[in-house]
């Protein structure tokens, strides 16, 4: 009975959020489309170069519907999008979806591992900091996490690379995996593909390659998560029910892990969704330093080449990934927060 | 005000922040006097001296065409600070007006304004600025515009949340009762109560704008050479790692120092003034 009501309110929430996300995604498509069409100069001319004849340019303009009014162009764009077609990249001459499918998994893999680092280091640091508030440990964690958010990830990438790949050669300098390994591409996620063929040496090698770039990417998120968790935990520690738990003689670790942490994690989760968004952008910076074969080089190249279809497609896919991540975070919060779970409170 | 300043200065962390910011700002303002080689801000070459490790008089080494890195970093600070201030001067008023209108007027206005805000917020920040920079010419003015476009929604959301809470307060109802206009209530009654949160966020954001702008130019989508810029310095030096480490490490640390300073001060302000999550 309770479970049923429980599920129903979560489903309702999911439907609501899904509708809003789709609406926002439609807005994003308009915005990105508008940005891509304010390009000064003729994209067809830029793509074909100065040596192309006027007829060739005209033909490409017709092919890209650039000769139609902008509303019609957007109509064509939406129609193609509905069929899962993002057009042809003028830079690689392949469908944009093929390009993105090739490069996106490497980037997502990097971001997911960075996300694990963010939670795995950030939350515990915040908990320890709050538990020992005002002591030396707390000050050190606060300074370190503030440093973490104070530099762009390419600076951390440079520093980590110098320290742990050159000065102390613990990790490889660049790439996703050593060239000795040949792994058939199934999902594009090397950590999964290597496990699928049960090649554990290759799995270890890929893991070894991802540590430094993922950590460089995660550092600002770790700092953010630690700061937020600390602030929320301190607020919760001030509540009367913690005092009561103490007076009942519950051990400190139990109070920290059970009573103080649980209410504190909900606001942290919301921020984690935003940090995920930041990582989707920051991955570009880290990939450039570590020569990570992800979406970064493709993205930057198509932007510099003013490759309309590819720019629109890349931004749209990245935004969709971000909206999905936020949807998952919303659901997690709904499961963790009894007020939402039981359908009593609104947001 | 005096009390706030006293609290900020008595905390060692925020005091450190004030000192760092003072260093960064004064080196930007007095770059002409402090820089050992003021002419190196431009397109100068000194091939006899190229790519030298730190030594006297080039305390941070020289770059690939022999220019003094320390001098160039000082001038880069100047441009970063100007960019940061201009971006906030454009983004904050825009975001504040949208947030106030959406929060106070409500209804359809709220729906349209806040959903537009959501659209901007759901493109990862750097990616939005990148795609705008991609279609525009990479100049300083366009860089400012691109960063502004990604920055205003944060203020509109912040002010929107405060306005929602404040508009139920007694003083707002009182002003409405005596027939104050919407404009008056929004800008003269509610807005002053948003100031503490806005000021805190602006202090923190000045650092973050510098950070994002340097990321853009790191990707080659920002200020173009020969204008000195911390991000493009790191990008140019990155292919010379690890041997010419000074090419990347010093500009990188320069970003860290500036942003860290604004973060330290912003944190202290948040404790004193409250507001801003």
């Amino acid at each position: 009975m309770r479970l049923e009501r429980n599920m129903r309110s979560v489903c309702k929430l999911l439907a609501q959020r899904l509708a809003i996300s789709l609406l926002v995604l439609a807005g994003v498509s308009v915005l990105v489309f508008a940005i891509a069409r304010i390009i000064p100069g003729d994209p067809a001319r830029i793509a074909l170069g100065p040596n192309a004849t006027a007829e060739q340019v005209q033909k490409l303009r017709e092919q890209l519907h650039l000769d139609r009014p902008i509303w019609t162009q957007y109509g064509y764009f939406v129609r193609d999008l509905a069929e899962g077609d993002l057009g042809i990249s003028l830079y690689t001459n392949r469908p944009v979806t093929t390009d993105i499918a090739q490069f996106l998994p490497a980037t997502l893999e990097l971001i997911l591992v960075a996300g694990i680092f963010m939670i795995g280091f950030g939350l515990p640091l915040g908990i320890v900091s709050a538990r020992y508030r005002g002591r030396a440990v707390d000050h050190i964690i606060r300074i370190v996490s503030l440093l973490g958010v104070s530099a762009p990830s390419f600076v951390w990438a440079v520093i980590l690379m110098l320290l742990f790949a050159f000065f102390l050669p613990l990790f490889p300098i660049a790439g996703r995996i050593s060239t000795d390994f040949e792994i058939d591409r199934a999902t594009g996620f090397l950590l999964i593909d290597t496990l699928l063929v049960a090649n554990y040496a290759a799995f270890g090698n890929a893991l070894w390659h991802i540590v430094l770039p993922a950590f460089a990417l995660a550092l600002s998120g770790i700092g953010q998560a630690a700061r937020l968790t600390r602030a929320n935990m301190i607020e919760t520690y001030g509540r009367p029910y913690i005092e009561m738990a103490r007076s009942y003689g519950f051990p400190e670790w139990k109070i920290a892990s059970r009573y103080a942490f649980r209410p504190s994690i909900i606001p942290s989760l919301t921020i984690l969704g935003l940090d995920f968004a930041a990582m989707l952008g920051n991955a570009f910076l880290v990939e450039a330093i570590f020569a990570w074969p992800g979406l970064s080089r493709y993205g930057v190249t198509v932007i510099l080449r003013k490759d309309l279809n590819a720019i629109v497609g890349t931004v749209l896919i990245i935004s969709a990934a971000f909206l999905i991540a936020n949807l998952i975070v919303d659901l997690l919060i709904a499961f963790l927060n009894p007020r939402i779970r039981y359908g009593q409170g609104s947001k | 005000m005096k009390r706030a300043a006293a609290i900020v200065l008595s905390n060692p962390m925020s005091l450190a922040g004030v000192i760092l910011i003072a260093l960064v700002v004064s080196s930007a303002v007095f770059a002409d006097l402090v820089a050992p080689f003021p002419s190196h801000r431009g397109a100068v070459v000194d091939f006899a001296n190229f790519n030298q490790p730190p030594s006297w008089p080039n305390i941070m080494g020289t770059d690939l065409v022999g220019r003094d890195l320390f001098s160039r970093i000082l001038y880069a600070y100047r441009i970063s600070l100007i960019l940061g201030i201009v971006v906030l001067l454009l983004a904050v008023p825009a975001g504040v007006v949208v947030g106030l209108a959406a929060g106070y007027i409500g209804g359809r206005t709220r729906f349209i304004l806040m959903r537009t805000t959501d659209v901007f917020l759901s493109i990862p920040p750097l990616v939005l600025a990148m795609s705008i920079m991609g279609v525009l010419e990479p100049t300083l003015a366009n860089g400012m515009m691109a960063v502004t476009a990604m920055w205003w929604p944060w203020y509109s959301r912040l002010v929107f949340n405060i306005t929602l809470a404040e508009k139920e307060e007694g003083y707002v109802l009182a002003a409405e009762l005596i027939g104050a206009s919407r404009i008056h209530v929004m800008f003269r009654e509610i807005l002053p109560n948003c100031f503490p949160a806005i000021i805190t966020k602006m202090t923190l954001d000045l650092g973050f704008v510098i950070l994002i702008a340097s990321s853009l130019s790191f990707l080659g989508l920002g200020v173009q050479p020969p204008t000195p810029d911390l991000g493009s310095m790191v990008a140019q030096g990155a292919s010379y790692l690890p041997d010419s480490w000074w090419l990347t490490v010093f500009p990188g640390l320069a970003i860290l120092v500036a942003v860290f300073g604004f973060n330290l001060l912003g944190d202290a302000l948040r404790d004193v003034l409250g507001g801003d999550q």
Side-chain angles (χ1 to χ4, degrees):
Chain A
M1 177 62 196
R2 201 165 117 178
L3 190 74
E4 193 185 314
R5 217 173 86 203
N6 196 340
M7 282 315 290
R8 210 186 305 144
S9 60
V10 170
C11 282
K12 204 175 124 198
L13 185 87
L14 177 65
Q16 227 173 32
R17 291 295 155 93
L18 206 59
I20 293 178
S21 299
L22 282 176
L23 192 70
V24 169
L25 199 60
V28 171
S29 80
V30 174
L31 178 66
V32 176
F33 192 79
I35 292 174
R37 300 293 141 148
I38 56 169
I39 288 190
D42 183 350
R45 171 56 77 187
I46 293 169
L48 293 173
N51 294 326
T53 63
E55 288 92 72
Q56 284 172 319
V57 174
Q58 187 54 34
K59 207 175 146 210
L60 186 63
R61 284 179 61 83
E62 278 166 26
Q63 212 181 327
L64 294 173
H65 309 300
L66 289 173
D67 50 344
R68 304 296 194 82
I70 188 149
W71 315 112
T72 324
Q73 288 183 37
Y74 183 72
Y76 278 117
F77 168 70
V78 171
R79 189 198 64 189
D80 292 345
L81 186 65
E83 291 167 2
D85 179 6
L86 288 168
I88 305 283
S89 160
L90 302 176
Y91 160 59
T92 58
N93 241 326
R94 299 191 304 176
V96 173
T97 42
T98 315
D99 282 341
I100 291 176
Q102 181 184 339
F103 297 115
L104 188 64
T107 299
L108 281 185
E109 190 170 61
L110 188 63
I111 291 171
L112 289 177
V113 175
I116 293 170
F117 283 163
M118 182 167 87
I119 295 169
F121 288 96
L123 296 188
L125 282 177
I127 295 170
V128 170
S129 198
R131 174 72 189 77
Y132 298 101
R133 184 185 182 185
R135 310 238 200 116
V137 192
D138 178 32
H139 291 309
I140 293 170
I141 292 178
R142 284 179 71 191
I143 292 174
V144 169
S145 39
L146 198 60
L147 278 172
V149 297
S150 295
S153 41
F154 65 88
V155 171
W156 289 129
V158 166
I159 291 174
L160 288 178
M161 186 195 246
L162 276 173
L163 288 180
F164 300 110
F166 287 118
F167 185 62
L168 290 173
L170 294 173
F171 293 100
I173 296 160
R176 285 179 84 188
I177 194 164
S178 301
T179 41
D180 327 341
F181 297 102
E182 289 232 355
I183 301 296
D184 289 333
R185 187 189 166 98
T187 59
F189 290 82
L190 270 182
L191 291 177
I192 296 175
D193 287 355
T194 50
L195 285 183
L196 284 179
V197 294
N199 188 340
Y200 300 111
F203 176 77
N205 190 276
L207 203 59
W208 184 49
H209 274 81
I210 208 170
V211 170
L212 273 193
F215 202 74
L217 184 57
L219 254 169
S220 69
I222 292 175
Q224 190 100 341
R227 283 157 58 80
L228 218 87
T229 311
R230 175 183 184 274
N232 294 330
M233 288 275 289
I234 284 174
E235 204 197 316
T236 319
Y237 264 124
R239 299 264 173 85
Y241 70 86
I242 298 283
E243 206 49 48
M244 200 177 92
R246 278 217 179 96
S247 66
Y248 270 117
F250 283 121
E252 269 305 316
W253 62 264
K254 197 169 181 185
I255 295 175
S257 66
R258 228 177 130 173
Y259 298 105
F261 178 66
R262 281 229 349 221
S264 314
I265 190 164
I266 291 170
S268 304
L269 272 177
T270 321
I271 298 295
L272 289 188
L274 287 173
D275 277 341
F276 187 81
M279 287 207 283
L280 282 165
N282 290 340
F284 282 71
L285 307 171
V286 175
E287 287 180 9
I289 294 281
F290 282 98
W292 191 261
L295 207 54
S296 160
R297 187 168 305 155
Y298 180 72
V300 173
T301 314
V302 297
I303 285 176
L304 290 174
R305 295 269 188 122
K306 307 206 184 300
D307 184 343
L308 285 189
N309 288 337
I311 295 176
V312 173
T314 310
V315 176
L316 213 55
I317 295 286
I318 289 180
S319 308
F322 169 49
L323 284 171
I324 293 170
N326 267 341
L327 213 58
I328 295 171
V329 169
D330 276 347
L331 282 183
L332 259 176
I333 292 172
F335 273 111
L336 285 175
N337 187 345
R339 264 185 310 235
I340 302 179
R341 189 168 56 205
Y342 297 131
Q344 288 156 355
S346 57
K347 40 183 233 169
Chain B
M1 198 56 213
K2 238 183 198 164
R3 199 181 59 89
I7 294 175
V8 167
L9 293 179
S10 66
N11 176 335
M13 282 186 40
S14 52
L15 185 64
V18 171
I19 293 172
L20 285 182
I21 294 172
L23 271 176
V24 169
V25 171
S26 54
S27 58
V29 173
F30 303 112
D32 293 320
L33 303 173
V34 185
F37 301 92
S39 66
H40 287 190
R41 66 190 286 196
V44 187
V45 285
D46 178 6
F47 283 120
N49 252 331
F50 87 102
N51 206 8
Q52 292 298 313
S55 63
W56 191 259
N58 306 113
I59 52 170
M60 291 184 180
T62 62
D63 70 3
L64 297 167
V65 294
R67 292 174 298 197
D68 180 46
L69 262 178
F70 178 59
S71 306
R72 284 182 68 72
I73 286 175
L74 295 184
Y75 282 103
Y77 266 154
R78 182 181 280 185
I79 292 179
S80 299
L81 283 176
I82 293 174
L83 187 142
I85 291 168
V86 172
V87 164
L88 289 183
L89 286 182
L90 295 172
V92 175
V96 166
V97 170
V98 170
L100 271 177
Y104 185 64
I105 300 172
R108 194 174 295 170
T109 315
R110 167 180 166 171
F111 181 82
I112 294 171
L113 291 179
M114 291 321 286
R115 285 290 165 257
T116 311
T117 304
D118 284 347
V119 166
F120 276 85
L121 286 177
S122 54
I123 302 179
L126 196 55
V127 178
L128 178 60
M130 275 170 63
S131 46
I132 296 178
M133 274 318 270
V135 299
L136 296 173
E137 291 306 309
T139 61
L140 184 61
N142 284 341
M144 289 172 179
M145 227 173 77
V147 181
T148 306
M150 57 166 277
W151 226 276
W152 68 268
W154 297 103
Y155 285 87
S156 104
R157 188 173 272 185
L158 174 71
V159 171
F160 172 73
N161 285 334
I162 302 174
T163 308
L164 274 193
E166 293 291 328
K167 79 173 181 182
E168 309 296 335
E169 294 287 325
Y171 71 90
V172 173
L173 300 177
E176 284 167 345
L177 268 181
I178 57 170
S181 69
R182 274 181 174 177
I183 300 288
H184 176 93
V185 174
M186 275 159 54
F187 290 94
R188 300 299 292 275
E189 305 291 342
I190 298 179
L191 182 59
N193 286 302
C194 304
F195 278 148
I198 294 174
I199 289 169
T200 307
K201 189 165 172 54
M202 281 175 76
T203 312
L204 289 164
D205 277 0
L206 197 48
F208 288 125
V209 172
I210 292 173
L211 192 149
I212 287 284
S214 73
S215 305
L216 273 180
S217 49
F218 171 79
L219 292 171
L221 298 168
V223 184
Q224 297 295 303
T227 312
D229 181 277
L230 299 171
S232 38
M233 286 187 204
V234 177
Q236 283 158 18
S239 16
Y240 298 88
L241 283 169
D243 299 320
S244 307
W245 52 270
W246 57 91
L247 294 176
T248 45
V249 169
F250 288 123
L253 289 180
I255 303 173
L256 177 66
V257 166
V259 182
F260 190 54
F262 285 110
N263 274 335
L264 283 173
L265 183 64
D267 261 12
L269 283 182
R270 186 183 349 225
D271 292 343
V272 178
L273 299 174
D276 179 35
Q277 273 305 300

